[in-house]
Structure formats: C-alpha cells, structure tokens
C-alpha cells in the first residue's frame, strides 16, 4: 500500500520504518526541514535501539516537507505531537494544522483515508474529519469524501520497534468498515508474522499472537488513555504498598511476586521505585482528568495515582534527610538522568524533580547518565547540576549516592571501590536494582524502596 505519515517524530518515524519493512511504500512528511535533511542521511534525532539499523536497510521509505505530499496515498497517518497545555488538556494545534494541510493538498482527490496515530482526546477523529471536509468543500470539492480512523500506538520508548513488530493488539476505531478492512490488510504482515521481524530485535520470551480490535473512533481513542492510566495506576499501587511495607518490615519485591503470579493481576508494572515518568503517563492522565472535568466527573483513582507518584520522589528526599540529618552543603551523586533505561528522554524523569528538591535544600548535585546528559542539558539548561562522564565521578566525595534509573551498566559497577571514594557510604537505590546484602557487605548503608 502507499502510505503517507505526517510527523517524523518518535511515533511517526518508528511506524514509518516498520511499515516500510513490512512491504509498504512509505513517505514521511515533517515541517522541520533540518530534520528531514538529517533523516535522509540516516541520522536520527532520538536514541532508540534498532532504529538506525532499520533505516539503513533497503526500504521503500522517503522523507520530505509538505510540498512533497502525495495525493495518491491509500492511507494518510497523522503522527504529530499533542503537547500538554497548562490545564492538562492536549494541545491539538499540530493535529488541526495537519488536518487543514491534508484537506488543502488533497483537493480534487475523490476520497481520502486519514488515520490518527497521535494520542488525542476522545472526539478528535471526528474533529479532524470535519476540518478536512470543510477545507475540501471550501475549495469547491463538492463530491470529495474523507473517512477517518483512530489507531493508537502502545510503544514503550527503548522497546518501540519490538513493540511494533510484536504487539499484543492492534486497535482500530472507525465508523467506516472499509477503512477498518484496509488497516487490517496494512497490518497483516505483523498480525500473521508472515514477514519475520528484523533479526537484530530481541525475540519475545513466549509466542505473541496479536489481536486485531476494531471498534468506534471514540472507544479506540479512550482505549489509549485507559491503557496508560491503568499501567500508571498499577505502578502507583505497588509504590503505595512499598511505603507500607517499609513500616511493617515486609519486602515489596516478594509482595509484588506474590500478587503478580495471580493470573488475574499479572507480574508486569509492579516494580516499586521512584515512580513513573516519561512523555505519556503524566500527560495522558492530565488529559483524561481535564476531559472528565468538562463533564464535572471526578476520577478519584487517577488523581490518587498522580499523588502517589509525586510522593515517591519526595520519599527519596525524606530517606536522605533521615540519614544525613542535614542536606545543606551535602554532596549528592545521582546515577540515572533519563526517565528509564535505553532512552535519552528526560520528560517527567524523577531526576528532574529530585535534583530540584535537593538544590532547594542546599545540596550540591553531581549526576551521571550513559546517554541522556546532553539531551537534559539542552532541555533544562538551568538545572543546577554538575554532570559527570563516569559514574565514579558522581560518587567522588559524595555523602550519598542515589540510583534513579536502572541502567544495566550500574549493575556491574565496583561498588566496594566506589564506597572508598565517597565521604559517607550511603546508597539509596530508587529502582531496587542492586543486591542489598552485597551492598551491605561492601560497607554501605543501603536503602531501597519498600
Ligand atoms: C508507556 C506505555 O508503556 C506505552 O504503552 C505507551 O504507548 C507510552 O507510555 P513509556 O513511557 O515509553 O511507555 O515507558 P514504560 O516502559 O511504560 O515506563 C513508564 C515509566 O514507568 C518509567 O518511568 C518506568 O521506570 C516506570 N515503571 C515501569 C515503574 O516504575 N515500574 C514498573 O514496574 C514499570
């Protein structure tokens, strides 16, 4: 099929590359001409395992600006950003602009199919349909028609290609059965695994048979928000119990295993720690709460999910204060800047809130991350943090070392040697990634979460 993808960001580019790999002819459009130039050279503006390898393959994948819009595409995907507004609502300016441009540039084409991949509030697919129809009517296209579908993505950063090639489900919402059938056809190679996913991707631990779920646009749009809210709630749930476990002397890892083996609950997203971050959970919960507010409907579970998550950040500081008594003037080393491993993304990263709180309390903060430092410096130039090239530098003369991201590299550091160069041997493991016994043997006061 001929596919156009509007937006060469994280979701757009990953989707474009995967669709081209599965045999479709894909053209990806972005308004950022610099970005397009770099993509044509094979340079990617974010860190994602496998994406460079995939783009360097022989694929029918091209990049261009709006002037290269192909009016003959079978499907036009919108994958532009929907950043949060100050009231939590999603800013739909880029979506509306894309709809307007599609309507304008597809003049005289009898029928177009538009698919929304961006995460958008319920009702946006209808809005996009009406913008495009109006633009086409205004340009005198009386017979022109447009159908829309919502096709949300469920990609995890750092595992985006794995999740694209081995999805648990593909959700498609549309009032047009013809468009649903086209999307079923588009995704057939992934749904039936008739084309083997790229060899450089990890294999799933057990066979995954993806489901194809077809529904209305409103339900598809809500599925995305409900999925992210549920995952965030699951993490906040285990974090809330982690706090209680600390009072009771129970071990949250054992508790998580004990409940996760109940098939009705499942073991994933029960890792206690400094809380969730990233570009989706916080933003999508904010949008959902803003939507509910419009109907004067309270979503107590979602509000509590956010409150518990904020408390996880504060709890780390409380643990520090309890141990050090005085934070003013203390040297604090931090390992992990990104919101999770295998990404340089720092959006809503626990590191941001925690380093700001530490600075407010008068601490000197040094931090290390294997990939996220330059991105963090670019996005948050004012953050009062000294960045280090090596984890050991962050630990030097430190009164405490905090682990905020569970990068694999931090698993195998020589902690005994690190303890020697610290001023006080206090290790707060915000991701429960290290072995507490071994750390205590290395002379640390070791404190995890729960
Ligand atoms: C998430 C969803 O998983 C994905 O389906 C959606 O499309 C976008 O949002 P992502 O933000 O990339 O993906 O990261 P994810 O791997 O889900 O982790 C989110 C946050 O939760 C991270 O900060 C992670 O450290 C944290 N987390 C995750 C926990 O604290 N505990 C867990 O058990 C799992």
């Amino acid at each position: 099929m001929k596919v156009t993808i509007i937006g060469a960001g994280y979701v757009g580019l990953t989707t474009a590359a995967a669709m081209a790999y599965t045999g479709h002819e894909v053209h990806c459009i972005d308004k950022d001409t610099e970005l397009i130039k770099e993509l044509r050279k094979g340079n990617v503006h974010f860190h994602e395992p496998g994406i460079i390898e995939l783009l360097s393959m022989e694929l029918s994948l091209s990049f261009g600006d709006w002037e290269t819009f192909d009016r003959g595409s079978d499907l036009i995907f919108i994958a532009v950003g929907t950043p949060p507004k100050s009231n939590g609502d999603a800013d739909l300016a880029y979506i509306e602009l894309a709809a307007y441009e599609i309507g304008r540039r597809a003049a005289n084409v009898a029928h177009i199919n538009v698919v929304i991949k961006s995460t958008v509030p319920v009702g946006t697919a209808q809005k996009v349909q009406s913008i495009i129809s109006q633009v086409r009517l205004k340009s005198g296209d009386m017979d022109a028609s447009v159908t829309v579908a919502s096709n949300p993505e469920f990609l995890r950063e750092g595992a985006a290609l794995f999740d694209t090639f081995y999805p648990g489900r593909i959700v498609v919402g549309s009032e047009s059965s013809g468009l649903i059938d086209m999307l079923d056809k588009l995704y057939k190679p992934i749904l039936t695994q008739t084309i083997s996913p790229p060899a450089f991707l990890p294999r799933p631990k057990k066979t995954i048979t993806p489901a194809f779920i077809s529904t209305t646009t409103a339900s598809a749009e809500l599925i995305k928000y409900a999925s992210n809210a549920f995952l965030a709630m699951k993490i906040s749930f285990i974090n809330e119990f982690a706090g209680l476990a600390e009072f009771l002397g129970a071990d949250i890892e054992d508790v998580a295993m004990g409940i996760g083996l109940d098939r009705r609950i499942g073991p994933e997203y029960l890792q206690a720690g400094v809380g969730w971050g990233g570009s989706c959970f916080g933003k999508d919960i904010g949008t959902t709460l803003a939507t509910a507010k419009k109907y004067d409907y309270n979503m107590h579970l979602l509000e509590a999910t956010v409150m518990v998550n904020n408390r996880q950040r504060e709890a780390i500081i409380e643990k520090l204060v309890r141990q050090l008594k005085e934070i003013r003037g203390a040297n604090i080393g931090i390992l992990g800047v990104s919101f999770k491993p295998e990404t340089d993304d720092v959006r809503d990263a626990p590191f941001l809130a925690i380093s700001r709180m530490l600075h407010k309390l008068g601490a000197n903060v040094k931090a290390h991350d294997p990939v996220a430092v330059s991105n963090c410096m670019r996005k948050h130039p004012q953050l009062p943090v000294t960045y280090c090239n090596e984890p050991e530098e962050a630990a030097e003369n430190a009164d405490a070392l905090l682990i905020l991201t569970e990068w694999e590299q931090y698993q195998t550091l020589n902690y005994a040697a690190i303890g020697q160069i610290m001023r006080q041997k206090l290790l707060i493991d915000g991701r429960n990634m290290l072995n507490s016994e071994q750390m205590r043997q290395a002379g640390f006061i070791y404190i995890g979460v729960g």
Side-chain angles (χ1 to χ4, degrees), residues 10-11 119 152-159 163 169 224 227-228 231-232 234-236 238-239 267-281 284 309 313 338-341 343 345 347-350 404-406 430-431:
Y10 193 78
V11 171
T119 301
E153 51 76 26
F154 303 100
L155 315 178
R156 287 164 303 161
E157 288 186 24
D163 289 346
R169 79 291 204 199
K224 169 73 189 197
S227 289
N228 275 349
L231 293 172
K234 212 173 164 190
I235 300 167
S236 283
I238 202 69
N239 280 335
E268 288 178 85
Y269 285 73
L270 286 180
Q271 176 64 49
V274 276
W276 42 265
S279 64
C280 293
F281 287 174
D284 293 352
N309 201 50
R313 273 68 155 156
S338 60
F339 81 96
K340 67 171 193 179
T343 177
D345 198 336
R347 283 176 284 182
D348 205 6
L404 300 184
T405 317
E406 65 277 37
R431 295 294 184 176

Side-chain angles (χ1 to χ4, degrees), residues 191-233:
L191 286 164
T192 56
Q193 305 267 299
T194 40
I195 294 179
S196 308
F200 52 78
L201 288 182
R203 305 275 144 198
K205 290 199 192 89
K206 51 182 185 208
T207 316
I208 296 175
T209 315
F212 183 80
I213 298 171
S214 65
T215 179
T216 59
T217 48
S219 303
E221 286 164 337
L222 194 56
I223 285 172
K224 169 73 189 197
Y225 285 104
S227 289
N228 275 349
F230 191 87
L231 293 172
M233 183 186 70

Side-chain angles (χ1 to χ4, degrees), residues 390-422:
E390 301 299 331
E392 290 77 8
E393 272 178 61
E396 207 171 349
N397 269 326
D399 295 291
L401 191 60
L402 314 184
I403 300 182
L404 300 184
T405 317
E406 65 277 37
W407 284 100
E408 211 179 315
Q409 152 179 21
Y410 300 152
Q411 195 88 56
T412 50
L413 294 176
N414 183 345
Y415 283 96
I418 284 181
Q420 298 303 324
I421 56 171
M422 289 175 67

